[in-house]
Amino acid sequence: MPLPSNLAARDIETLIHPYTNLATFRESGPLVLDHGKGVWVYDHAGKAYIEGMSGLWCTALGHGNEELVEAAAQQMRKLSFAHLFTGKSNDPAIELAEKLKEIAPVPTSKIFFCNSGSEANDTQIKLVWYMNNALGRPRKKKIISRHKAYHGVTIASASLTGLPANQIDFDVPIAGILHTSCPHHYRFAHAGESEQAFSARLAAELETLILREGPETVAAFIVEPVMGAGGVIVPPYGYFDAVMEVCAKYDLYIICDEVICGFGRLGAPFGCQAFGFQPHSISVAKALTSAYVPMAAVTVPEAMYQAMLDGSRKIGTFGHGFTYSGHPVAAAVALKTLEIYARERIVERAAQLLPQFQARLTALAEHPLVGEARGRGLVGAVELVAEKVTKQLFETSLGVAPRAVAFAQEEGLIVRFLPGDVVSICPPLIISPAEIDELFDRLGRALDRTLDWLKRERLLAS
Ligand SMILES: Cc1ncc(COP(=O)(O)O)c(C=O)c1O
C-alpha cells in the first residue's frame, strides 16, 4: 500500500478538489480516507472518524452495507449497462420508476432519471421551459430561486444556486434566473420581527418581484425545504404557507429540491411533507442510492407529461437525456436502498433520534462562540459569531469555521464549514444514540479548542 505521504503528494499534483481553496490546499494537503463501516471512516494511519456529514449529506445507510454491494454486483453480472434512449429499457429502471411514483409526495405521472442533483435541477428548468412552449406561453420562462440556495453547479443549476463562490468569475447566473430573499430569521429578520411577520414580509417581497418582472414571464419557484449548503437554514414559522400562496396566485410551477431532505432526513419521508407544502415536482438524488452509486430523479406530473407529448407530436424526438439515465446498476442499488429504508423503518428510526440529536444541538447554543444552533430532523448547524448579542461575524480571513472543522478532524469527527462561519452536521440516518453523543462530545471539544485558539491569538473582542 502506498505511504500516506506519497498519496498526499500525488493528490496535490494531480487532483482539482471541488469546494477547496486551491491555493491553501497546496500547504494543507488532503485527508485521504481508506475504508469505512457504518458511520465510521478510517484514514490510512487507521485513525477513526465519525462521518458527521454522511459524506456530502448522502450516505444515509453509512458505509459497507453488504446488501447494497450485492445488489450492485448482481446487476453488474446480469446486465451491466442499458440505456433508456430510443425506447430501450431495463427492468430495474422500470421497477424503480414505479416505486418512486408510489412513494413520491406529489402526484406523479412519470419519472425522469439523471445522475446528480445538478442534472436533476437543470432538467427541471428545461422541462418547465419545454412545457410552457408546448402550452403556448413562450414568455413564461423565468425561474425564481433564493439567495443562499444550493441547487448544484452546472450552468443552469449554478444559476439557481444563490451563493457567491458558485457564481463569481463563472459568469453565472444566466439570464432569466432571479433570486428572492433567504428565509433565515436569525440573520435577516428586523429587530423584534416575529417569525410569522418575517414570513409574511418575504412572501410580499416575492410577490413584488413577480409583479415587477410580469407574472406572465415567471414560470417557476424552486426551493429546498431546509437550505443545506447555504448554511442549514430552517425556514421560519408560516414561511411555506405564505410563499406558496403567492406562487399559486401567479400560476408558478413549484419545484422542491429534495436532494438533501428526501428519504427521511427531516424525520418525514420528504422535506415538503415535514413542512406541509405541496410542490408540483421534486428532485431527488444522494440518499436515493445512499450514495453507493450516482443517481438522481425528477418527477413529472401528468399535465407536464401531456405537454411533453404535444411537444413530441410537433418536434419528433424528446431531445433530452443522459447516457446513464436509468442505469440498471444504479437503479438496482436504489431499489435495494428503498427496500432497506422501508424494512428497517429508517424514517421512523430517524424520527426517534430527533429529540436526542436536536437536544444536543440546541445545547451548543450555550457555547460562547455559537450565535445560533439550528436544525431540523437529523441535520443541523452552528453559526459561529464574534459577539453573540450583536451577531457580529468574524472576519472571513480568520477562517474560524475552517479552524473548528480542522479541530473536529483532529478529534476524529468529520463536519463541514459553510459560508458565514457555519459548521454543519448531517450524520448517516443509521447513527446510534451512543454515536450521536460521541459526535456532539467531539464537536464540543472542537469548539472549545477553537475558542482557546481565538483567545491565544487575541482574536476575540474580550
Ligand atoms: C439541495 C441540493 N440540490 C442539488 C445539489 C447538487 O447535487 P450534485 O452535487 O449531485 O450535482 C446538492 C448538492 O449538495 C444539494 O444539496
Side-chain angles (χ1 to χ4, degrees):
M1 194 190 295
L3 289 172
S5 55
N6 282 352
L7 270 184
R10 282 160 54 200
D11 178 301
I12 291 168
E13 294 315 322
T14 48
L15 286 174
I16 297 285
H17 284 268
Y19 287 88
T20 302
N21 181 323
L22 300 179
T24 56
F25 172 74
R26 293 196 65 81
E27 297 304 317
S28 59
L31 167 66
V32 187
L33 295 175
D34 181 56
H35 61 284
K37 186 73 196 157
V39 303
W40 296 88
V41 289
Y42 301 83
D43 65 17
H44 278 262
K47 178 170 173 174
Y49 304 82
I50 296 179
E51 213 341 328
M53 274 301 292
S54 301
L56 291 171
W57 334 79
C58 53
T59 54
L61 294 174
H63 289 266
N65 185 306
E66 285 301 327
E67 281 188 85
L68 296 183
V69 174
E70 197 44 43
Q74 264 185 28
Q75 185 56 46
M76 280 184 190
R77 281 187 206 106
K78 190 169 166 232
L79 181 68
S80 41
F81 174 74
H83 60 82
L84 302 183
F85 283 36
T86 59
K88 307 278 189 311
S89 199
N90 66 80
D91 319 5
I94 298 167
E95 214 183 309
L96 179 61
E98 285 173 350
K99 187 79 205 159
L100 286 173
K101 276 184 67 170
E102 184 190 315
I103 64 173
V106 288
T108 299
S109 173
K110 306 287 178 285
I111 301 291
F112 186 88
F113 286 118
C114 315
N115 308 290
S116 68
S118 300
E119 283 181 7
N121 291 326
D122 264 45
T123 295
Q124 293 278 17
I125 296 180
K126 287 183 75 179
L127 293 187
V128 168
W129 289 347
Y130 197 82
M131 172 177 75
N132 281 349
N133 284 329
L135 291 177
R137 41 189 205 184
R139 293 189 62 220
K140 201 167 173 67
K141 294 289 169 56
K142 293 174 191 163
I143 317 278
I144 302 182
S145 180
R146 298 175 298 175
H147 295 297
K148 295 204 172 204
Y150 190 79
H151 298 297
V153 293
T154 47
I155 290 177
S157 65
S159 300
L160 295 174
T161 289
L163 296 168
N166 297 109
Q167 302 196 326
I168 295 169
D169 283 359
F170 284 116
D171 292 9
V172 291
I174 53 172
I177 308 281
L178 310 163
H179 290 87
T180 191
S181 317
C182 169
H184 189 189
H185 185 266
Y186 170 76
R187 272 285 154 213
F188 302 122
H190 294 157
E193 192 175 33
S194 70
E195 291 201 2
Q196 185 103 37
F198 177 60
S199 296
R201 175 160 66 82
L202 264 48
E205 283 175 19
L206 175 63
E207 182 160 23
T208 304
L209 175 64
I210 295 169
L211 290 173
R212 193 189 71 207
E213 296 291 326
E216 71 288 357
T217 71
V218 183
F221 184 45
I222 183 165
V223 291
E224 299 158 82
V226 167
M227 303 172 78
V232 188
I233 294 160
V234 184
Y237 183 76
Y239 174 77
F240 281 114
D241 285 348
V243 291
M244 291 303 151
E245 200 181 314
V246 172
C247 291
K249 189 168 165 190
Y250 298 104
D251 190 21
L252 267 53
Y253 186 82
I254 311 291
I255 302 160
C256 184
D257 182 340
E258 295 272 358
V259 167
I260 289 179
C261 299
F263 308 107
R265 175 58 58 189
L266 304 187
F270 291 91
C272 59
Q273 293 168 321
F275 285 98
F277 69 93
Q278 175 83 71
H280 293 95
S281 172
I282 60 168
S283 299
V284 291
K286 297 192 189 275
L288 171 60
T289 56
S290 191
Y292 276 54
V293 285
M295 185 172 232
V298 161
T299 63
V300 175
E302 182 61 21
M304 176 178 271
Y305 176 61
Q306 288 302 327
M308 291 165 71
L309 282 181
D310 285 345
S312 270
R313 287 184 192 112
K314 184 180 78 176
I315 302 162
T317 197
F318 171 64
H320 179 65
F322 307 98
T323 299
Y324 304 121
S325 290
H327 194 297
V329 176
V333 172
L335 278 167
K336 185 54 77 177
T337 304
L338 299 181
E339 182 192 316
I340 297 171
Y341 290 159
R343 191 187 67 217
E344 311 279 325
R345 305 177 69 80
I346 290 290
V347 177
E348 290 87 337
R349 217 188 145 271
Q352 279 166 12
L353 295 172
L354 305 191
Q356 182 199 359
F357 182 87
Q358 292 295 335
R360 290 293 313 253
L361 178 66
T362 309
L364 288 178
E366 302 305 316
H367 194 278
L369 279 182
V370 175
E372 188 186 38
R374 55 182 179 258
R376 179 90 183 232
L378 284 188
V379 58
V382 287
E383 182 164 329
L384 309 183
V385 290
E387 222 275 295
K388 276 190 185 237
V389 177
T390 59
K391 306 178 186 176
Q392 190 197 327
L393 288 167
F394 290 101
E395 289 293 325
T396 311
S397 58
L398 292 180
V400 175
R403 182 70 64 149
V405 166
F407 283 133
Q409 196 167 300
E410 284 178 22
E411 295 287 336
L413 169 66
I414 295 179
V415 283
R416 179 167 170 197
F417 62 87
L418 299 171
D421 277 327
V422 171
V423 177
S424 60
I425 316 149
C426 182
L429 301 181
I430 52 147
I431 193 166
S432 70
E435 287 164 340
I436 289 179
D437 279 335
E438 192 57 43
L439 184 160
F440 281 101
D441 289 349
R442 292 178 189 208
L443 183 57
R445 289 201 293 274
L447 293 177
D448 290 345
R449 289 176 65 184
T450 310
L451 183 63
D452 289 346
W453 163 74
L454 284 162
K455 284 181 181 160
R456 227 177 21 251
E457 300 291 323
R458 299 186 191 287
L459 296 169
L460 277 180
S462 53

